[in-house]
């Protein structure tokens, strides 16, 4: 066996982070954790650092006056986005697993690409915000972006089966979220707790709300456009309540390939970290000695306005997806905080897309400017 692959994990304390740690622990003969990063809480990160003997630890938003004394001796501690960027640029690694929520990972990911590290990408927000910049940088440096988001990881696996010229379309599956069967009239009054109760997946709060609104599938349509360089018209969404078929690829001859596994993120994470090798999974896979149903439904028109808005943003191009994403983030936070109702989430996105002008960005700074302008405006809609 060759040398172990060195992994830097951004977002180590989250839901994906926890699954990634299981995979790394299970395959400690092939994988070695060398850096961990979280948002602002040091204690859980210190515990991970101790358990995995990690020497390089960072926080995106260290609280003022933070005492880094809880870290094991001889640990290097990196503060803020500059610090995290420094960590990924200076610590020798093979793969950076980008699993922090939101767009904070953008600069560290670009720095990792510049260093030539393979990127295992769970985070979708940075591709929605700056897909062109991230994919251009990866192409320029010859760096591989391996998708970890389950749908995109499935597509990545299915695309190995045929020549790109034979690709007709990508079929993203969607569980339909917590409210797939809720009468449309009842959606006005649903609570954050109801929205957080996802039928199949256990995930962080933001993405679980995004699943209920299907903004998540909208973000994933945009993510697919950048990862696989296809036209918006080649990306379709189909409802699949069991979340076992993670997505499909249709070729021009009518053959459709799918990737199946239980709805647990360890499968996609392990695939991305070990790629192109395969090894035993951390949990058992599907059991066909038991009866199992796989259902598929077309989308019900009008049920998922956030998905329609995401498509509109993708087709408009330029900074429109960044506006969609920023407005959605602000709206979801307000909904989770009990300040707005569920149906105000698409309303705030709509207003933001109507009032911030989308343009073809000349620089990353311009995209970030549009992002913060959108956040400011979107916040005004419900605080006034
Ligand atoms: P989570 O909320 O459970 O964890 C997020 C991690 O990122 C934590 O380590 C946290 O400290 C850090 N973080 C949170 N907010 C941050 C911020 N503003 N700035 C910097 N760091 C921050 O989230 P998750 O469910 O693990 O999702 C992580 C990423 O993976 C998201 O981009 C999400 O869209 C994507 N993703 C998650 C799943 C899933 O099953 N959970 C599936 C596909 C894609
Ligand atoms: Mg997904």
């Amino acid at each position: 066996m060759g040398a172990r692959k060195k992994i830097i994990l951004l977002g180590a304390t989250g839901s994906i982070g926890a699954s990634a740690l299981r995979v790394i622990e299970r395959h400690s003969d092939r994988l070695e954790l060398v850096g961990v990063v979280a948002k602002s809480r040091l204690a859980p990160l210190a515990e991970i650092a101790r358990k995995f003997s990690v020497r390089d630890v960072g926080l995106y938003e260290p609280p003022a006056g933070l005492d880094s004394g809880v870290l094991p001796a001889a640990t290097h501690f990196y503060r803020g986005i500059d610090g995290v960027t420094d960590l990924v640029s200076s610590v020798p690694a093979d793969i950076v697993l980008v699993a922090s929520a939101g767009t904070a990972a953008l600069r560290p990911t670009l720095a990792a690409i510049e260093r030539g590290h393979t990127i295992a990408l769970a985070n979708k927000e940075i591709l929605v915000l700056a897909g062109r910049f991230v994919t251009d940088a990866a192409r320029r440096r010859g760096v591989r972006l391996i998708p970890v988001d389950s749908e995109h990881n499935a597509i990545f696996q299915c695309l190995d089966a045929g020549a790109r010229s034979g690709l007709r379309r990508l079929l993203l599956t969607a569980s339909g979220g917590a409210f797939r069967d809720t009468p449309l009239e009842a959606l006005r009054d649903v609570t954050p707790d109801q929205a957080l109760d996802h039928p199949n997946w256990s995930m962080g709060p933001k993405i679980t709300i995004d699943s209920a609104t299907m903004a998540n599938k909208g973000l994933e349509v945009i993510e697919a456009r950048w990862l696989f360089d296809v036209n918006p018209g080649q990306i379709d969404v189909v409802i699949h309540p069991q979340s076992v078929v993670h997505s499909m690829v249709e070729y021009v001859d009518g053959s459709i390939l799918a990737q199946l596994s239980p709805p647990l993120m360890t499968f996609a994470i392990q695939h991305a970290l070990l790629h192109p090798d395969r090894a035993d999974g951390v949990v058992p896979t599907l059991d066909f000695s038991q009866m199992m149903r796989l259902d598929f439904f077309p989308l019900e028109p009008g049920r998922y306005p956030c998905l329609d808005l995401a498509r509109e943003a993708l087709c408009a191009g330029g900074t429109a997806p960044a506006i969609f994403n920023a407005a959605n983030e602000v709206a979801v936070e307000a909904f989770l905080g009990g300040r707005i109702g569920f149906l105000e989430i698409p309303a705030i996105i709509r207003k933001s897309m109507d009032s911030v002008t989308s343009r073809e960005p000349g620089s990353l700074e311009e995209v970030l400017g549009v992002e913060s302008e959108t956040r400011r405006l979107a916040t005004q809609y419900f605080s006034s």
Side-chain angles (χ1 to χ4, degrees):
M1 178 132 327
R4 296 190 293 170
K5 286 187 186 172
K6 292 182 167 49
I7 316 283
I8 295 172
L9 174 53
L10 309 183
T13 56
S15 165
I16 293 281
S19 295
L21 294 176
R22 282 185 76 185
V23 170
I24 293 168
E25 194 175 11
R26 171 73 177 75
H27 295 294
S28 56
D29 55 333
R30 299 162 184 257
L31 303 171
E32 178 188 5
L33 191 62
V34 295
V36 287
V37 171
K39 184 182 181 186
S40 54
R41 290 174 51 235
L42 190 56
L45 203 58
E47 208 169 295
I48 296 168
R50 195 164 290 113
K51 178 170 176 188
F52 287 84
S53 308
V54 172
R55 295 301 183 102
D56 294 279
V57 172
L59 288 178
Y60 286 107
E61 298 178 18
L66 175 77
D67 173 16
S68 58
V70 296
L71 288 167
T75 307
H76 293 263
F77 181 53
Y78 302 75
R79 292 170 189 263
I81 294 196
D82 286 344
V84 174
T85 306
D86 185 27
L87 187 160
V88 297
S89 311
S90 59
V91 174
D94 299 294
I95 304 180
V96 177
L97 171 51
V98 184
S100 50
T103 51
L106 180 57
R107 280 188 39 221
T109 303
L110 289 170
I113 292 172
E114 281 318 314
R115 263 304 295 270
H117 300 326
T118 297
I119 307 294
L121 192 60
N123 177 290
K124 55 198 87 181
E125 295 92 329
I126 63 171
L127 281 185
V128 174
L129 178 70
R132 184 158 64 77
F133 295 92
V134 174
T135 53
D136 278 355
R139 203 169 301 123
R140 219 175 28 240
R141 285 290 282 124
V143 158
R144 205 137 203 208
L145 300 176
I146 305 184
V148 170
D149 203 352
S150 55
E151 295 76 3
H152 306 75
N153 182 267
I155 290 167
F156 182 87
Q157 296 195 44
C158 296
L159 283 175
D160 266 350
R164 273 303 295 262
S165 58
L167 175 70
R168 179 179 284 153
R169 60 176 178 153
L170 310 177
L171 285 148
L172 297 181
T173 53
S175 68
F179 304 130
R180 186 185 59 232
D181 304 318
T182 306
L184 286 177
E185 327 70 81
L187 287 179
R188 180 171 307 280
D189 301 317
V190 297
T191 65
D193 279 346
Q194 289 171 308
L196 285 171
D197 190 15
H198 195 281
N200 306 345
W201 294 96
S202 161
M203 310 181 283
K206 158 75 168 47
I207 184 174
T208 307
I209 302 300
D210 283 349
S211 297
T213 62
M214 282 263 233
N216 182 52
K217 210 49 57 178
L219 296 172
E220 290 182 353
V221 168
I222 301 170
E223 181 187 8
R225 180 260 171 270
W226 290 112
L227 283 172
F228 305 116
D229 198 16
V230 289
N231 304 319
Q234 285 177 288
I235 311 168
D236 284 335
V237 175
V238 56
I239 300 282
H240 169 48
Q242 291 89 0
S243 300
V244 163
V245 172
H246 294 298
S247 276
M248 299 177 273
V249 168
E250 181 177 320
Y251 289 94
V252 288
D253 57 5
S255 280
I256 297 173
L257 270 79
Q259 184 268 339
L260 286 71
S261 54
L264 289 168
M265 289 305 297
T266 53
F267 289 92
I269 294 167
Q270 173 165 325
H271 171 269
L273 294 184
L274 294 185
H275 181 78
D277 295 338
R278 301 268 183 178
D280 290 350
V282 295
V283 293
T285 190
L286 304 167
D287 176 4
F288 288 95
S289 72
Q290 307 294 314
M291 146 119 184
M292 183 191 339
R293 280 186 58 160
L294 299 176
D295 297 311
F296 299 92
F297 306 104
L299 286 174
E300 181 187 331
R303 179 170 282 276
Y304 298 111
C306 289
L307 175 57
D308 300 334
L309 288 163
R311 275 202 184 276
E312 184 184 319
L314 175 59
C315 293
T319 48
I323 297 168
F324 170 87
N325 183 54
N328 180 55
E329 269 186 28
V330 168
V332 169
E333 205 179 303
F335 173 68
L336 282 170
R339 295 192 294 281
I340 62 168
F342 187 73
L343 294 182
E344 281 169 277
I345 298 174
I348 287 173
I349 301 173
R350 173 79 273 164
K351 272 194 198 166
S352 304
M353 284 172 56
D354 287 344
S355 46
V356 185
T357 314
S358 169
R359 49 185 185 260
E360 198 50 54
S363 68
L364 208 51
E365 286 63 40
E366 211 176 320
V367 185
L368 297 175
V370 169
E371 187 189 35
S372 52
E373 184 191 352
T374 307
R375 275 184 211 285
R376 192 179 51 76
L377 266 178
T379 308
Q380 279 175 5
Y381 292 137
F382 60 84
S383 46
S384 58

